[in-house]
Amino acid sequence: MSTTASGVTVKLNTGAEIPLLGFGTVSEHDTETFKLALKAAILDAGYKHIDTAWYYNTEELIGDVLEELSLSNKIKKDEIFITTKVWPCFWNDPETSLNLSLKNLKLEKVDLLLQHWPVCFAKIDDSNGNRIPVPKDSNNNILYDKDGDYLITYKKLLKLKDSGKAKAVGVSNYTVQMLERIIKETGVIPACNQVELHPHLPQLELYNYCSEKGIILEAYSPFGSSGAPNLKIPLIIELAKKYNVSSADIIVNYCIAKKIVVLPRSSNIERIKKGYALINMEKSDVDALDNYGSKNPKRYIKDSWGDNIGFDHWN
Ligand code: NDP
C-alpha cells in the first residue's frame, strides 16, 4: 500500500482506475506560479490526476507543463489521469468545448469528461468569436437558454465517449433527482458526480445513492475553497493531533476512507511537495466527521446558478 495519498486508486464503472487524489486547477495566481505548482505536484508529490475545466482558463498551461515533462522524459502523458468539463455556455455543443480543451491540453483524448453544471446558458460569442462563459443582460442578469435541458448535454457527452475523445463521462453538481432522471432517460449510469463535499457538507443522501449505483463521488473545494476555512474546524484539529498529521491530511483521508475522489488546490510549493500522508482513519472518526457536517451544513461555492437547481444550505 502506498504511504502517500497520491498512489491510491478506485475503479470507475468503465473499469478504468482513477486516482483518489487529484490536483485542483482553479488558479488565483500568475501563469508562472501555476506552472511551478503543477510541476511540484507531479514531480515531487507524485500526483497522477489533474482536475481541470474549460472555464478555469488553465488548460493551456497544463498542456504546456505536460508537454515539457513528457519531452524531457520525466513523465509519460498517459500516466496522468486528466479530467475536463463542459461549461453551461456549451450545453448544446459540448464537442466544441471538448475540442478546445483537447487543443489547449495538447491531448487527443481525456480520461474523464464532465458536464460542469446542470444548467444551460445562452450561446453568445464576443467580437473575437470567443464564447462568453456567463452571458448577462444589461441589468446583469444571467441569460439562460429557455430551450436548454441538461439531459440533452448528457446525451451528447455519451456520444463523445463513443467517438473515443473521452474515455469516461460523468456529471458535476447533480442532485439525486437529476441523476435519477438522466439514468432513467438514457439507461447509462454516469461514471462520477463531482460536487462540493467536505466535513461541513458530507452530502450523505447523495453519497448513499451514488454508492448504491456505483457512481464515484468527487469532492471539490475540500478545504472550503479560498482561505481554507475547513482546516480550522475544531474536530479536524483534534483528529490531526490524534493521528499526528495536518488538518489538510485529515480532510483528504476522510474522503479517501469513503472512496471519494478528493481535489485539493494549492499554489504553495512547500505544501505541495509534502503531499498528503495516507492514514488508516478509524471508522468512528469518519462517522464523527459525517455527523459534524450533517449537524452544521455549510456550502462555500455559491454561484448564483446553483439557486436555480435547488441546492440546499445556500445561505
Ligand atoms: P480548496 O478547497 O482546494 O481550497 C484551496 C485553498 O486552500 C487555497 O486558498 C489554498 O491556498 C488553501 N490551502 C491548500 N492547502 C492548504 C494548507 N495545507 N494549509 C492552508 N491553506 C491551504 O479550493 P477549490 O475551491 O479550488 O477546490 C479545489 C478544486 O475543485 C478546484 O481547483 C477545481 O479543480 C475543483 N472545483 C470544481 C467545481 C465544480 O463546479 N465542479 C467548483 C469548484 C472547484 P494556497 O494556494 O496558499 O495553498
Side-chain angles (χ1 to χ4, degrees):
M1 192 176 185
S2 171
T3 52
T4 61
S6 59
V8 198
T9 63
V10 70
K11 250 191 184 78
L12 295 172
N13 62 8
T14 56
E17 301 273 342
I18 181 170
L20 277 170
L21 180 71
F23 191 69
T25 62
V26 164
S27 180
E28 293 169 337
H29 300 279
D30 60 275
T31 58
E32 209 37 46
T33 305
F34 178 83
K35 284 187 179 183
L36 287 174
L38 182 60
K39 280 184 199 168
I42 296 172
L43 298 179
D44 297 308
Y47 273 85
K48 295 262 185 283
H49 174 183
I50 298 171
D51 180 76
T52 190
W54 173 83
Y55 185 62
Y56 303 161
N57 242 330
T58 50
E59 289 180 318
E60 198 172 350
L61 304 177
I62 295 167
D64 290 347
V65 167
L66 292 178
E67 193 78 352
E68 181 190 326
L69 298 185
S70 109
L71 286 174
S72 55
N73 291 321
K74 293 192 171 121
I75 58 153
K76 290 199 182 94
K77 279 191 192 180
D78 62 7
E79 289 170 350
I80 313 277
F81 189 102
I82 307 282
T83 301
T84 193
K85 314 185 190 88
V86 172
W87 191 246
C89 62
F90 288 106
W91 75 270
N92 202 21
D93 54 350
E95 188 165 11
T96 305
S97 175
L98 178 59
N99 287 343
L100 288 169
S101 295
L102 290 174
K103 182 169 173 263
N104 285 329
L105 290 164
K106 299 163 197 59
L107 294 173
E108 282 168 16
K109 54 185 172 241
V110 289
D111 296 282
L112 181 59
L113 179 66
L114 304 183
Q115 182 180 358
H116 208 143
W117 281 86
V119 294
C120 305
F121 294 154
K123 172 183 172 178
I124 301 178
D125 291 343
D126 67 16
S127 51
N128 296 319
N130 297 319
R131 188 69 50 90
I132 297 177
V134 185
K136 293 184 176 167
D137 67 14
S138 52
N139 294 320
N140 217 26
N141 296 314
I142 294 176
L143 292 168
Y144 291 90
D145 189 329
K146 60 179 172 33
D147 298 321
D149 184 348
Y150 62 86
L151 173 64
I152 297 176
T153 316
Y154 183 63
K155 286 181 177 168
K156 292 191 176 193
L157 292 194
L158 295 178
K159 286 204 176 129
L160 289 173
K161 177 170 179 277
D162 293 342
S163 79
K165 284 185 188 173
K167 292 195 209 166
V169 156
V171 296
S172 176
N173 295 299
Y174 264 53
T175 60
V176 169
Q177 291 70 24
M178 290 165 172
L179 288 168
E180 279 176 337
R181 179 173 177 238
I182 60 164
I183 294 169
K184 183 166 166 269
E185 294 288 338
T186 65
V188 185
I189 298 177
C192 76
N193 184 20
Q194 184 180 120
V195 295
E196 181 173 343
L197 192 153
H198 42 70
H200 248 313
L201 196 67
Q203 305 257 27
L204 297 183
E205 187 204 356
L206 196 56
Y207 175 78
N208 290 334
Y209 178 83
C210 288
S211 303
E212 192 193 302
K213 292 279 178 200
I215 301 169
I216 297 299
L217 260 187
E218 297 195 339
Y220 75 64
S221 303
F223 300 152
S225 209
S226 300
N230 282 343
L231 302 184
K232 299 187 192 99
I233 296 173
L235 175 59
I236 290 180
I237 293 174
E238 197 185 296
L239 290 173
K241 280 199 192 118
K242 171 176 168 178
Y243 289 98
N244 197 21
V245 296
S246 69
S247 289
D249 290 329
I250 293 296
I251 294 181
V252 165
N253 279 275
Y254 162 73
C255 293
I256 287 180
K258 299 186 77 175
K259 300 214 177 330
I260 295 171
V261 169
V262 58
L263 305 167
R265 156 173 68 96
S266 181
S267 56
N268 180 307
I269 301 290
E270 288 318 305
R271 282 181 199 142
I272 294 170
K273 280 187 175 172
K274 255 207 286 175
Y276 300 99
L278 189 61
I279 59 173
N280 217 341
M281 197 183 278
E282 289 167 26
K283 174 145 187 339
S284 56
D285 291 328
V286 176
D287 291 347
L289 288 166
D290 276 346
N291 194 32
Y292 173 85
S294 303
K295 291 195 174 133
N296 307 279
K298 190 171 194 171
R299 201 179 273 281
Y300 294 98
I301 302 297
K302 296 184 177 176
D303 295 315
S304 65
W305 45 88
D307 269 337
N308 291 15
I309 50 181
F311 271 10
D312 51 5
H313 316 304
W314 199 244
N315 298 306

